[in-house]
Amino acid sequence: MVPATVCSSLSATLTTNGRGLLDDSVDAGGTNSQPDASRIQAAITACPSGQMVKLVAGSSGQNAFLSGPLTLPAGVSLWIDNGVTLFASRKPSDYQIAGKNTCGQTASSDNGCQALINAVAGNNGLYGPGTVDGRGGAVVTSGTYANTLTWWDVGALSKTLSSNNNQNNPRLLQVTGGSNFSLYQVSLQNAPKFHVVTSGVNGFTAWGNKIQSPTLAYSVAGYSCGSGTMPTVSGTANTTRASTCFTPDTVKNTDGIDPGQSQNVLIAFNHISTGDDGIAIKAHTTAAVSNIQILHNRFYYTHGMSIGSETDSGVNGVTIRDLTVDGYDVGATSGFRIKTDDSRGGEVQNVTVDGACVRRVAQPFAIDTYYGDAYGSSNAMFPNVHDITIRNFRYLDTTGSSRNGTNTAIDLRGYQSQGQALPAYNITLDNVVFDSTPSWVTTKTSYAIPSYASVIMGPGPVSFASMLTSAAGANSFNVTDSRSTSATAYDCSSAFVSFPSSNSPI
């Protein structure tokens, strides 16, 4: 619920340029890097519990704020007015966490940066209809890569450097601990890393938001970037040239919403187009994840809907309904997947996908306990996946797509290593219809796909039933045919809609 009382309204003093960004001159050289941080934070700190601070346009049409990290305590909310953008500082030292790895560089871990907005849940939230822009495609202004690389170029180094391969880039919104936080009708875009992350929150709602990286401000229509303009994501690392055009493939780890270690979560009616997972449910180290509702969401250029890769504290009770995933022929995208391994595995149970329209993805669905073909970790956190239902699931061939028919693949692989036998069981496929028959995902390990899994088909149809039954009996893969009814393939005639922003490249 949006607070009824506004404790303070702050007027913008900066104005965006024709691209919808701030001119580099505003904070060139790292000076004036966060001119609005102190007054926004002062207003938040002075705001009584149960009230909110509003960011509004200036009297002469000013429409932008520029800030470094802000802290939102329990009970206090932040509203960003229509047409107003809160921009993030592009100076890594503004986000530096004392004693941790250097923000704006790669290192063995990614713990060096505060988020732009750091919140403790407590009947509070971040509300729209304004925008939070992380400026991921902007050149950073401090540190080793000052005035040389963008945030996203730094992220790309984690793919090309031979060691120290974690990017220390800031998130847009981090909610840690407490109860009942809402994210409502905000546009979050161009995050240097993850857009929204919760950890240890009981009661989180994300409703009606638009999340996108990169926007048209940092790209071109159709993401048709020219040669030599994009980050280097393979081969020799780039440490000398700032990229000028970006695609979701080249903005690493910009997940949309990652509810981690959280309970009683509702994520509904969001539009998400980012360079990694649209939503990734994570359960790591501390509290188990339970009662997660993922409803009526639209994914565009993403890696899909994921559970994992961290599942070691347990996932129990996830419902996903009315999900649309358009993968745009990306090589590493899925519709729905459970991904984990024995370095971060745990029990994943009672998960239902009921109503999904998927096209142009590499893996329409995947259940993999050897994610990335990894196994044999000394952590010995063993994956245990069971009681998963995929119902009313439709995969559509698309004219001109490279991801039709056998160019899509499915993955079903339970766990049996290190003396442990934990097959994926009670995997139910009910009214799962593909336009063409897929293939099986290929693997680099000796643990074949499919393997160590038990699948139940029915009561509705499964269009690739013969593919499943022909694989049964080998590699501890079992299939029970309980099909007893016919059913109309899930209706996807109105599922695929344009991303609702004129600032979108797609």
Side-chain angles (χ1 to χ4, degrees):
M1 180 179 295
V2 180
T5 303
V6 177
C7 63
S8 181
S9 290
L10 303 181
S11 297
T13 61
L14 301 172
T15 304
T16 55
N17 59 27
R19 296 172 61 203
L21 302 175
L22 292 174
D23 288 332
D24 287 349
S25 60
V26 171
D27 56 346
T31 61
N32 201 40
S33 63
Q34 47 177 339
D36 295 307
S38 59
R39 70 181 179 122
I40 296 174
Q41 189 61 63
I44 290 171
T45 302
C47 193
S49 181
Q51 300 185 30
M52 69 178 176
V53 173
K54 290 189 76 171
L55 305 185
V56 301
S59 59
S60 299
Q62 300 95 329
N63 62 353
F65 293 80
L66 176 57
S67 180
L70 300 168
T71 299
L72 201 61
V76 178
S77 298
L78 181 64
W79 173 283
I80 305 174
D81 225 0
N82 188 37
V84 173
T85 301
L86 172 63
F87 287 98
S89 166
R90 57 189 177 114
K91 186 176 183 179
S93 59
D94 286 343
Y95 303 91
Q96 184 63 48
I97 299 175
K100 301 297 183 181
N101 288 310
T102 303
C103 188
Q105 296 182 200
T106 59
S108 57
S109 61
D110 59 353
N111 61 4
C113 308
Q114 297 181 67
L116 174 63
I117 301 173
N118 303 270
V120 177
N123 299 308
N124 56 343
L126 175 63
Y127 304 104
T131 300
V132 180
D133 193 311
R135 303 171 83 195
V139 175
V140 299
T141 58
S142 71
T144 300
Y145 304 115
N147 307 311
T148 305
L149 298 183
T150 70
W151 286 115
W152 289 331
D153 286 316
V154 174
L157 292 176
S158 65
K159 290 178 175 283
T160 54
L161 293 179
S162 59
S163 61
N164 294 330
N165 61 352
N166 286 280
Q167 66 192 87
N168 283 270
N169 287 359
R171 303 167 178 182
L172 282 193
L173 172 63
Q174 173 75 53
V175 186
T176 305
S179 301
N180 301 325
F181 188 92
S182 296
L183 177 67
Y184 180 63
Q185 288 195 337
V186 184
S187 291
L188 300 112
Q189 59 193 39
N190 301 318
K193 204 176 180 188
F194 306 131
H195 288 78
V196 179
V197 177
T198 72
S199 183
V201 176
N202 186 348
F204 171 68
T205 298
W207 187 289
N209 304 285
K210 292 179 285 188
I211 301 176
Q212 187 171 48
S213 286
T215 65
L216 196 56
Y218 291 112
S219 191
V220 293
Y223 299 119
S224 299
C225 293
S227 176
T229 65
M230 294 180 288
T232 300
V233 294
S234 63
T236 303
N238 164 47
T239 60
T240 60
R241 171 188 60 81
S243 300
T244 57
C245 191
F246 303 88
T247 74
D249 276 343
T250 57
V251 293
K252 186 175 184 291
N253 285 340
T254 52
D255 291 20
I257 303 175
D258 289 359
Q261 301 75 247
S262 297
Q263 304 81 42
N264 302 311
V265 171
L266 173 62
I267 302 174
F269 295 102
N270 301 285
H271 295 79
I272 301 174
S273 185
T274 62
D276 209 302
D277 293 316
I279 297 172
I281 299 168
K282 299 176 181 288
H284 184 50
T285 304
T286 54
V289 169
S290 62
N291 189 23
I292 310 292
Q293 304 283 320
I294 311 290
L295 311 177
H296 314 298
N297 294 284
R298 300 291 179 264
F299 291 179
Y300 299 82
Y301 206 132
T302 70
H303 288 187
M305 172 71 229
S306 297
I307 297 176
S309 50
E310 299 89 351
T311 63
D312 48 273
S313 62
V315 177
N316 185 359
V318 177
T319 299
I320 301 163
R321 297 185 190 277
D322 184 26
L323 173 69
T324 298
V325 181
D326 190 336
Y328 284 87
D329 292 352
V330 183
T333 192
S334 300
F336 165 72
R337 61 178 174 172
I338 298 173
K339 52 175 182 173
T340 187
D341 59 53
D342 58 21
S343 70
R344 50 200 165 178
E347 191 168 25
V348 179
Q349 59 183 317
N350 300 320
V351 176
T352 298
V353 179
D354 190 348
C357 296
V358 181
R359 69 183 184 187
R360 297 196 287 182
V361 306
Q363 297 181 23
F365 67 84
I367 297 173
D368 194 1
T369 60
Y370 297 86
Y371 175 56
D373 285 333
Y375 69 100
S377 170
S378 60
N379 289 345
M381 297 178 180
F382 301 119
N384 182 10
V385 179
H386 60 91
D387 293 285
I388 313 297
T389 297
I390 300 174
R391 177 182 297 121
N392 296 322
F393 188 105
R394 179 80 185 279
Y395 186 81
L396 297 92
D397 287 351
T398 304
T399 301
S401 172
S402 64
R403 297 296 178 183
N404 292 340
T406 57
N407 286 328
T408 64
I410 60 175
D411 189 346
L412 288 169
R413 184 163 57 165
Y415 184 79
Q416 187 172 39
S417 297
Q418 301 196 66
Q420 303 292 316
L422 296 167
Y425 67 91
N426 286 347
I427 310 300
T428 299
L429 305 180
D430 177 13
N431 195 21
V432 178
V433 177
F434 289 20
D435 283 354
S436 299
T437 301
S439 61
W440 291 109
V441 171
T442 57
T443 178
K444 293 180 287 186
T445 74
S446 59
Y447 298 98
I449 296 173
S451 62
Y452 304 108
S454 296
V455 173
I456 302 166
M457 299 189 299
V462 177
S463 64
F464 47 92
S466 60
M467 173 181 160
L468 296 172
T469 56
S470 64
N475 302 312
S476 298
F477 180 65
N478 301 300
V479 177
T480 300
D481 191 350
S482 297
R483 292 174 295 166
S484 60
T485 63
S486 61
T488 302
Y490 187 68
D491 183 11
C492 296
S493 59
S494 301
F496 299 97
V497 298
S498 298
F499 191 89
S501 171
S502 60
N503 197 27
S504 172
I506 54 176

